[in-house]
PDB file of all heavy atoms in Angstrom:
ATOM      1  N   LEU A 140    -106.396-142.545 -20.996  1.00  0.00           N
ATOM      2  CA  LEU A 140    -105.284-141.644 -21.315  1.00  0.00           C
ATOM      3  C   LEU A 140    -105.711-140.221 -20.998  1.00  0.00           C
ATOM      4  O   LEU A 140    -106.678-139.723 -21.584  1.00  0.00           O
ATOM      5  CB  LEU A 140    -104.910-141.765 -22.795  1.00  0.00           C
ATOM      6  CG  LEU A 140    -104.575-143.169 -23.319  1.00  0.00           C
ATOM      7  CD1 LEU A 140    -104.362-143.133 -24.831  1.00  0.00           C
ATOM      8  CD2 LEU A 140    -103.343-143.730 -22.620  1.00  0.00           C
ATOM      9  N   ILE A 141    -105.005-139.561 -20.069  1.00  0.00           N
ATOM     10  CA  ILE A 141    -105.421-138.230 -19.611  1.00  0.00           C
ATOM     11  C   ILE A 141    -104.360-137.204 -20.015  1.00  0.00           C
ATOM     12  O   ILE A 141    -103.203-137.295 -19.583  1.00  0.00           O
ATOM     13  CB  ILE A 141    -105.621-138.198 -18.085  1.00  0.00           C
ATOM     14  CG1 ILE A 141    -106.506-139.373 -17.624  1.00  0.00           C
ATOM     15  CG2 ILE A 141    -106.250-136.873 -17.677  1.00  0.00           C
ATOM     16  CD1 ILE A 141    -106.683-139.464 -16.128  1.00  0.00           C
ATOM     17  N   PRO A 142    -104.723-136.218 -20.843  1.00  0.00           N
ATOM     18  CA  PRO A 142    -103.744-135.236 -21.321  1.00  0.00           C
ATOM     19  C   PRO A 142    -103.372-134.211 -20.264  1.00  0.00           C
ATOM     20  O   PRO A 142    -104.029-134.082 -19.231  1.00  0.00           O
ATOM     21  CB  PRO A 142    -104.455-134.577 -22.506  1.00  0.00           C
ATOM     22  CG  PRO A 142    -105.911-134.718 -22.180  1.00  0.00           C
ATOM     23  CD  PRO A 142    -106.060-136.019 -21.423  1.00  0.00           C
ATOM     24  N   GLY A 143    -102.319-133.460 -20.561  1.00  0.00           N
ATOM     25  CA  GLY A 143    -101.846-132.418 -19.658  1.00  0.00           C
ATOM     26  C   GLY A 143    -102.432-131.057 -19.997  1.00  0.00           C
ATOM     27  O   GLY A 143    -103.361-130.927 -20.797  1.00  0.00           O
ATOM     28  N   THR A 144    -101.874-130.020 -19.398  1.00  0.00           N
ATOM     29  CA  THR A 144    -102.371-128.661 -19.570  1.00  0.00           C
ATOM     30  C   THR A 144    -102.203-128.181 -21.000  1.00  0.00           C
ATOM     31  O   THR A 144    -101.135-128.333 -21.596  1.00  0.00           O
ATOM     32  CB  THR A 144    -101.620-127.704 -18.626  1.00  0.00           C
ATOM     33  OG1 THR A 144    -101.653-128.225 -17.307  1.00  0.00           O
ATOM     34  CG2 THR A 144    -102.256-126.315 -18.643  1.00  0.00           C
ATOM     35  N   TYR A 145    -103.281-127.604 -21.544  1.00  0.00           N
ATOM     36  CA  TYR A 145    -103.317-127.113 -22.922  1.00  0.00           C
ATOM     37  C   TYR A 145    -102.944-128.192 -23.926  1.00  0.00           C
ATOM     38  O   TYR A 145    -102.323-127.922 -24.957  1.00  0.00           O
ATOM     39  CB  TYR A 145    -102.435-125.874 -23.100  1.00  0.00           C
ATOM     40  CG  TYR A 145    -103.031-124.644 -22.464  1.00  0.00           C
ATOM     41  CD1 TYR A 145    -102.495-124.131 -21.291  1.00  0.00           C
ATOM     42  CD2 TYR A 145    -104.145-124.020 -23.004  1.00  0.00           C
ATOM     43  CE1 TYR A 145    -103.060-123.014 -20.676  1.00  0.00           C
ATOM     44  CE2 TYR A 145    -104.711-122.909 -22.404  1.00  0.00           C
ATOM     45  CZ  TYR A 145    -104.168-122.408 -21.242  1.00  0.00           C
ATOM     46  OH  TYR A 145    -104.742-121.315 -20.641  1.00  0.00           O
ATOM     47  N   ALA A 146    -103.327-129.410 -23.623  1.00  0.00           N
ATOM     48  CA  ALA A 146    -103.147-130.520 -24.560  1.00  0.00           C
ATOM     49  C   ALA A 146    -104.519-131.121 -24.857  1.00  0.00           C
ATOM     50  O   ALA A 146    -105.310-131.356 -23.946  1.00  0.00           O
ATOM     51  CB  ALA A 146    -102.220-131.577 -23.990  1.00  0.00           C
ATOM     52  N   SER A 147    -104.783-131.369 -26.109  1.00  0.00           N
ATOM     53  CA  SER A 147    -106.046-131.984 -26.506  1.00  0.00           C
ATOM     54  C   SER A 147    -105.922-133.498 -26.423  1.00  0.00           C
ATOM     55  O   SER A 147    -104.833-134.053 -26.243  1.00  0.00           O
ATOM     56  CB  SER A 147    -106.387-131.575 -27.941  1.00  0.00           C
ATOM     57  OG  SER A 147    -105.504-132.219 -28.855  1.00  0.00           O
ATOM     58  N   TRP A 148    -107.049-134.169 -26.605  1.00  0.00           N
ATOM     59  CA  TRP A 148    -107.014-135.631 -26.657  1.00  0.00           C
ATOM     60  C   TRP A 148    -106.149-136.105 -27.818  1.00  0.00           C
ATOM     61  O   TRP A 148    -105.594-137.200 -27.797  1.00  0.00           O
ATOM     62  CB  TRP A 148    -108.438-136.192 -26.781  1.00  0.00           C
ATOM     63  CG  TRP A 148    -109.121-135.863 -28.083  1.00  0.00           C
ATOM     64  CD1 TRP A 148    -109.964-134.818 -28.334  1.00  0.00           C
ATOM     65  CD2 TRP A 148    -109.017-136.581 -29.315  1.00  0.00           C
ATOM     66  NE1 TRP A 148    -110.383-134.824 -29.633  1.00  0.00           N
ATOM     67  CE2 TRP A 148    -109.818-135.914 -30.265  1.00  0.00           C
ATOM     68  CE3 TRP A 148    -108.315-137.725 -29.713  1.00  0.00           C
ATOM     69  CZ2 TRP A 148    -109.948-136.338 -31.587  1.00  0.00           C
ATOM     70  CZ3 TRP A 148    -108.439-138.153 -31.032  1.00  0.00           C
ATOM     71  CH2 TRP A 148    -109.250-137.472 -31.940  1.00  0.00           C
ATOM     72  N   GLN A 149    -105.993-135.244 -28.837  1.00  0.00           N
ATOM     73  CA  GLN A 149    -105.253-135.634 -30.041  1.00  0.00           C
ATOM     74  C   GLN A 149    -103.764-135.819 -29.811  1.00  0.00           C
ATOM     75  O   GLN A 149    -103.077-136.394 -30.657  1.00  0.00           O
ATOM     76  CB  GLN A 149    -105.498-134.593 -31.140  1.00  0.00           C
ATOM     77  CG  GLN A 149    -106.928-134.623 -31.657  1.00  0.00           C
ATOM     78  CD  GLN A 149    -107.318-133.316 -32.327  1.00  0.00           C
ATOM     79  OE1 GLN A 149    -107.392-132.280 -31.666  1.00  0.00           O
ATOM     80  NE2 GLN A 149    -107.572-133.372 -33.610  1.00  0.00           N
ATOM     81  N   ILE A 150    -103.254-135.364 -28.686  1.00  0.00           N
ATOM     82  CA  ILE A 150    -101.851-135.610 -28.395  1.00  0.00           C
ATOM     83  C   ILE A 150    -101.578-137.106 -28.263  1.00  0.00           C
ATOM     84  O   ILE A 150    -100.444-137.562 -28.399  1.00  0.00           O
ATOM     85  CB  ILE A 150    -101.401-134.847 -27.129  1.00  0.00           C
ATOM     86  CG1 ILE A 150     -99.871-134.722 -27.102  1.00  0.00           C
ATOM     87  CG2 ILE A 150    -101.932-135.507 -25.845  1.00  0.00           C
ATOM     88  CD1 ILE A 150     -99.342-133.776 -26.046  1.00  0.00           C
ATOM     89  N   PHE A 151    -102.641-137.884 -28.025  1.00  0.00           N
ATOM     90  CA  PHE A 151    -102.519-139.338 -27.916  1.00  0.00           C
ATOM     91  C   PHE A 151    -102.840-140.067 -29.222  1.00  0.00           C
ATOM     92  O   PHE A 151    -102.968-141.294 -29.224  1.00  0.00           O
ATOM     93  CB  PHE A 151    -103.460-139.862 -26.826  1.00  0.00           C
ATOM     94  CG  PHE A 151    -103.099-139.446 -25.439  1.00  0.00           C
ATOM     95  CD1 PHE A 151    -103.976-138.681 -24.689  1.00  0.00           C
ATOM     96  CD2 PHE A 151    -101.890-139.830 -24.866  1.00  0.00           C
ATOM     97  CE1 PHE A 151    -103.660-138.304 -23.389  1.00  0.00           C
ATOM     98  CE2 PHE A 151    -101.563-139.460 -23.575  1.00  0.00           C
ATOM     99  CZ  PHE A 151    -102.442-138.692 -22.837  1.00  0.00           C
ATOM    100  N   SER A 152    -102.988-139.345 -30.325  1.00  0.00           N
ATOM    101  CA  SER A 152    -103.454-139.965 -31.569  1.00  0.00           C
ATOM    102  C   SER A 152    -102.630-141.180 -31.966  1.00  0.00           C
ATOM    103  O   SER A 152    -103.172-142.237 -32.332  1.00  0.00           O
ATOM    104  CB  SER A 152    -103.452-138.939 -32.701  1.00  0.00           C
ATOM    105  OG  SER A 152    -104.429-137.952 -32.487  1.00  0.00           O
ATOM    106  N   ARG A 153    -101.312-141.058 -31.925  1.00  0.00           N
ATOM    107  CA  ARG A 153    -100.460-142.171 -32.335  1.00  0.00           C
ATOM    108  C   ARG A 153    -100.555-143.326 -31.345  1.00  0.00           C
ATOM    109  O   ARG A 153    -100.586-144.498 -31.740  1.00  0.00           O
ATOM    110  CB  ARG A 153     -99.009-141.698 -32.475  1.00  0.00           C
ATOM    111  CG  ARG A 153     -98.039-142.765 -32.963  1.00  0.00           C
ATOM    112  CD  ARG A 153     -98.417-143.291 -34.328  1.00  0.00           C
ATOM    113  NE  ARG A 153     -97.493-144.320 -34.767  1.00  0.00           N
ATOM    114  CZ  ARG A 153     -97.820-145.358 -35.536  1.00  0.00           C
ATOM    115  NH1 ARG A 153     -99.082-145.493 -35.933  1.00  0.00           N
ATOM    116  NH2 ARG A 153     -96.926-146.239 -35.892  1.00  0.00           N
ATOM    117  N   VAL A 154    -100.620-143.019 -30.065  1.00  0.00           N
ATOM    118  CA  VAL A 154    -100.776-144.062 -29.045  1.00  0.00           C
ATOM    119  C   VAL A 154    -102.093-144.805 -29.260  1.00  0.00           C
ATOM    120  O   VAL A 154    -102.146-146.038 -29.181  1.00  0.00           O
ATOM    121  CB  VAL A 154    -100.715-143.461 -27.632  1.00  0.00           C
ATOM    122  CG1 VAL A 154    -100.939-144.536 -26.568  1.00  0.00           C
ATOM    123  CG2 VAL A 154     -99.365-142.772 -27.396  1.00  0.00           C
ATOM    124  N   ILE A 155    -103.142-144.050 -29.545  1.00  0.00           N
ATOM    125  CA  ILE A 155    -104.451-144.657 -29.794  1.00  0.00           C
ATOM    126  C   ILE A 155    -104.373-145.615 -30.985  1.00  0.00           C
ATOM    127  O   ILE A 155    -104.860-146.747 -30.931  1.00  0.00           O
ATOM    128  CB  ILE A 155    -105.512-143.573 -30.037  1.00  0.00           C
ATOM    129  CG1 ILE A 155    -105.767-142.787 -28.757  1.00  0.00           C
ATOM    130  CG2 ILE A 155    -106.819-144.184 -30.555  1.00  0.00           C
ATOM    131  CD1 ILE A 155    -106.564-141.510 -28.958  1.00  0.00           C
ATOM    132  N   ASP A 156    -103.745-145.162 -32.072  1.00  0.00           N
ATOM    133  CA  ASP A 156    -103.628-146.008 -33.261  1.00  0.00           C
ATOM    134  C   ASP A 156    -102.889-147.309 -32.965  1.00  0.00           C
ATOM    135  O   ASP A 156    -103.232-148.369 -33.493  1.00  0.00           O
ATOM    136  CB  ASP A 156    -102.902-145.249 -34.370  1.00  0.00           C
ATOM    137  CG  ASP A 156    -103.757-144.160 -35.006  1.00  0.00           C
ATOM    138  OD1 ASP A 156    -104.991-144.207 -34.830  1.00  0.00           O
ATOM    139  OD2 ASP A 156    -103.192-143.265 -35.646  1.00  0.00           O
ATOM    140  N   LEU A 157    -101.890-147.234 -32.113  1.00  0.00           N
ATOM    141  CA  LEU A 157    -101.073-148.414 -31.808  1.00  0.00           C
ATOM    142  C   LEU A 157    -101.774-149.389 -30.866  1.00  0.00           C
ATOM    143  O   LEU A 157    -101.453-150.579 -30.856  1.00  0.00           O
ATOM    144  CB  LEU A 157     -99.743-147.971 -31.195  1.00  0.00           C
ATOM    145  CG  LEU A 157     -98.781-147.250 -32.148  1.00  0.00           C
ATOM    146  CD1 LEU A 157     -97.652-146.598 -31.361  1.00  0.00           C
ATOM    147  CD2 LEU A 157     -98.221-148.216 -33.190  1.00  0.00           C
ATOM    148  N   LEU A 158    -102.728-148.899 -30.086  1.00  0.00           N
ATOM    149  CA  LEU A 158    -103.354-149.736 -29.060  1.00  0.00           C
ATOM    150  C   LEU A 158    -104.795-150.134 -29.354  1.00  0.00           C
ATOM    151  O   LEU A 158    -105.342-151.025 -28.685  1.00  0.00           O
ATOM    152  CB  LEU A 158    -103.319-149.011 -27.704  1.00  0.00           C
ATOM    153  CG  LEU A 158    -101.954-148.764 -27.076  1.00  0.00           C
ATOM    154  CD1 LEU A 158    -102.129-147.980 -25.776  1.00  0.00           C
ATOM    155  CD2 LEU A 158    -101.212-150.053 -26.816  1.00  0.00           C
ATOM    156  N   LYS A 159    -105.421-149.496 -30.320  1.00  0.00           N
ATOM    157  CA  LYS A 159    -106.879-149.609 -30.445  1.00  0.00           C
ATOM    158  C   LYS A 159    -107.370-151.002 -30.821  1.00  0.00           C
ATOM    159  O   LYS A 159    -108.554-151.311 -30.611  1.00  0.00           O
ATOM    160  CB  LYS A 159    -107.407-148.576 -31.433  1.00  0.00           C
ATOM    161  CG  LYS A 159    -106.933-148.754 -32.864  1.00  0.00           C
ATOM    162  CD  LYS A 159    -107.445-147.605 -33.713  1.00  0.00           C
ATOM    163  CE  LYS A 159    -106.998-147.718 -35.151  1.00  0.00           C
ATOM    164  NZ  LYS A 159    -107.455-146.559 -35.961  1.00  0.00           N
ATOM    165  N   THR A 160    -106.525-151.870 -31.364  1.00  0.00           N
ATOM    166  CA  THR A 160    -107.013-153.217 -31.687  1.00  0.00           C
ATOM    167  C   THR A 160    -107.073-154.119 -30.465  1.00  0.00           C
ATOM    168  O   THR A 160    -107.814-155.111 -30.460  1.00  0.00           O
ATOM    169  CB  THR A 160    -106.116-153.887 -32.744  1.00  0.00           C
ATOM    170  OG1 THR A 160    -104.770-153.975 -32.248  1.00  0.00           O
ATOM    171  CG2 THR A 160    -106.129-153.094 -34.043  1.00  0.00           C
TER     172      THR A 160
END
Side-chain angles (χ1 to χ4, degrees):
L140 305 174
I141 310 176
T144 309
Y145 287 107
S147 71
W148 67 265
Q149 291 159 294
I150 199 169
F151 293 119
S152 292
R153 183 60 181 148
V154 177
I155 292 167
D156 287 343
L157 291 167
L158 294 177
K159 64 184 180 182
T160 59

